[in-house]
Amino acid sequence: MPHSFYEVFCELTKYTTKDEAFDIITRAKRGFLDTSKHGCHDKDKVYFEGFHQVSTHLENYPDDYNLLMSGKVALSMLLAVRELREIGDLLEPQYLPQQLIV
């Protein structure tokens, strides 16, 4: 079922402000001549999926936050990053953004 600009906007307002929902859907539907058609911009889909995966991971493994913030680290790299920490070859961040700490 296609989700129009307005339908997605209404759904997003359940989770965020109207201004933020408008910004999100405007960005997601950019380039669409008919915003009632199914889909969104690929980049937004990939970013959203990544955000969801990392958020879910950190809910289950909050201690991995420092590891993920130690550089450009993908979830698939965590085993190797843990090993680096164990042998003392990982420099963990000293300063972390407080608003992001789970």
Side-chain angles (χ1 to χ4, degrees):
M1 174 180 161
H3 298 290
S4 70
F5 185 99
Y6 183 71
E7 290 169 325
V8 177
F9 172 79
C10 289
E11 183 65 22
L12 288 174
T13 58
K14 295 176 186 177
Y15 308 101
T16 189
T17 66
K18 288 181 180 179
D19 287 341
E20 184 68 22
F22 183 81
D23 288 345
I24 291 168
I25 189 60
T26 300
R27 187 176 57 247
K29 291 283 190 176
R30 70 182 175 274
F32 279 62
L33 297 176
D34 181 355
T35 60
S36 69
K37 294 205 176 197
H38 182 71
C40 67
H41 195 273
D42 292 340
K43 188 175 184 180
D44 289 284
K45 180 181 182 299
V46 170
Y47 282 174
F48 178 76
E49 288 172 349
F51 172 78
H52 185 11
Q53 289 171 356
V54 170
S55 296
T56 301
H57 180 85
L58 287 174
E59 285 175 10
N60 296 314
Y61 306 97
D63 292 340
D64 285 348
Y65 181 75
N66 282 12
L67 296 177
L68 289 170
M69 294 297 284
S70 65
K72 291 186 178 184
V73 177
L75 292 176
S76 61
M77 300 167 62
L78 282 174
L79 181 59
V81 175
R82 281 189 198 104
E83 290 173 2
L84 289 172
R85 179 174 58 188
E86 286 175 17
I87 63 172
D89 283 348
L90 178 70
L91 181 61
E92 292 190 50
Q94 293 181 1
Y95 304 103
L96 295 169
Q98 291 300 312
Q99 69 275 16
L100 298 178
I101 295 177
V102 179

